[in-house]
């Protein structure tokens, strides 16, 4: 059974957390000196690795929480607070700066030996926020059929992110500094609202069950 509202909410949560427009200029800085074909390969591999990471947490995240004795209500509260902090960083332009520093350090240390894995796939794409959001969403898709739908949503998010990376030069030119700032803040407000909803759901399930 398809719950369109739930699927749209899941897709919105993932896309806002992944922030493809904000990642585009960072991807450009990570791949300076690479040809268009090489950038395409890096974007392809990074997106695929990030998909498998998030898919694993979507399928087994709640099981891991169960082994650790953590209730899904408690994780919803903690994950919601983490997503709220990310939204705070987005609204006040701190997340972009942190991501850029992560990219710079990685390029300096690893000399771009395998930037598709680190830092692109992890932690820039499948970072703590995206992983937390995926586990939280997994609790809303309990059955096998539901989990398949969630995997489709994750795959769709990765496809959109991949396309953003492929056309990152055009996005960067089109948005400019002002456009990126406006879009990032708008997405931050949306993520803040979603984070508050996660916390409310967590409180409801943890204390009113």
């Amino acid at each position: 059974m398809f719950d369109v509202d739930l699927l749209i909410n899941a897709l919105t949560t993932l896309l806002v957390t992944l922030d493809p427009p904000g990642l585009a200029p960072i991807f450009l800085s990570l791949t300076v000196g690479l040809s268009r074909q090489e950038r395409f390969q890096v974007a392809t591999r990074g997106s695929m690795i990030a998909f498998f990471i998030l898919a694993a947490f979507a399928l087994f995240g709640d099981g891991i929480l169960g082994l650790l004795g953590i209730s899904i209500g408690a994780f919803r509260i903690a994950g919601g607070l983490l997503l709220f902090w990310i939204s705070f960083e987005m609204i006040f332009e701190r997340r972009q700066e942190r991501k850029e520093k992560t990219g710079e350090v990685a390029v300096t240390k690893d000399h771009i030996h395998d930037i598709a894995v680190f830092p692109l796939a992890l932690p820039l794409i499948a970072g703590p926020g995206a992983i937390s959001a995926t586990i939280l969403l997994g609790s809303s898709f309990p059955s096998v059929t539901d989990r398949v739908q969630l995997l489709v949503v994750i795959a769709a998010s990765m496809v959109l992110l991949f396309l953003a990376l492929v056309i990152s030069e055009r996005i960067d030119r089109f948005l400019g500094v002002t456009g990126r700032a406006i879009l990032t803040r708008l997405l931050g407000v949306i993520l803040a609202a979603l984070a508050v909803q996660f916390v409310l759901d967590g409180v409801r399930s943890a204390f009113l069950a």
Side-chain angles (χ1 to χ4, degrees):
M1 185 68 182
F2 291 96
D3 188 333
V4 178
D5 291 337
L6 186 60
L7 292 174
I8 292 176
N9 179 69
L11 183 61
T12 302
T13 301
L14 282 174
L15 285 178
V16 172
T17 306
L18 293 170
D19 187 19
L23 192 58
I26 299 171
F27 176 73
L28 285 177
S29 68
L30 286 174
T31 55
V32 170
L34 300 184
S35 66
R36 182 170 297 182
Q37 181 62 31
E38 289 170 333
R39 280 179 174 167
F40 182 85
Q41 293 174 357
V42 170
T44 301
R45 190 174 185 211
S47 300
M48 290 182 64
I49 292 172
F51 167 76
F52 286 117
I53 292 173
L54 295 182
F57 278 100
L59 294 174
F60 308 113
D62 51 355
I64 295 173
L65 293 180
L67 290 174
L68 296 175
I70 302 173
S71 70
I72 192 61
F75 191 83
R76 278 178 175 167
I77 296 172
L81 292 175
L82 175 60
L83 293 179
F84 188 83
W85 174 252
I86 292 174
S87 70
F88 176 85
E89 289 186 323
M90 292 173 70
I91 294 171
F92 291 98
E93 284 291 315
R94 295 184 179 180
R95 191 185 189 206
Q96 191 77 3
E97 180 183 349
R98 175 169 55 81
K99 280 189 171 185
E100 288 172 355
K101 287 181 178 178
T102 301
E104 290 170 2
V105 171
V107 170
T108 300
K109 288 185 176 180
D110 293 351
H111 303 288
I112 322 181
H113 285 165
D114 205 352
I115 57 176
V117 178
F118 178 83
L120 184 59
L122 188 72
L124 293 180
I125 299 178
I131 291 174
S132 298
T134 301
I135 297 176
L136 288 172
L137 291 171
S139 65
S140 301
F141 293 82
S143 69
V144 175
T145 304
D146 291 338
R147 290 297 168 92
V148 172
Q149 294 178 42
L150 179 57
L151 291 180
V152 172
V153 170
I154 296 174
S157 302
M158 283 300 133
V159 169
L160 293 175
L161 177 66
F162 167 74
L163 293 176
L165 297 182
V166 170
I167 61 171
S168 55
E169 292 182 66
R170 297 180 183 178
I171 292 177
D172 194 46
R173 285 198 302 267
F174 176 75
L175 291 177
V177 176
T178 303
R180 286 200 305 271
I182 294 173
L183 183 60
T184 298
R185 284 175 169 81
L186 178 60
L187 293 176
V189 172
I190 295 174
L191 183 59
L194 291 170
V196 170
Q197 187 61 53
F198 278 130
V199 172
L200 292 176
D201 291 343
V203 170
R204 190 179 298 113
S205 61
F207 298 106
L208 301 182

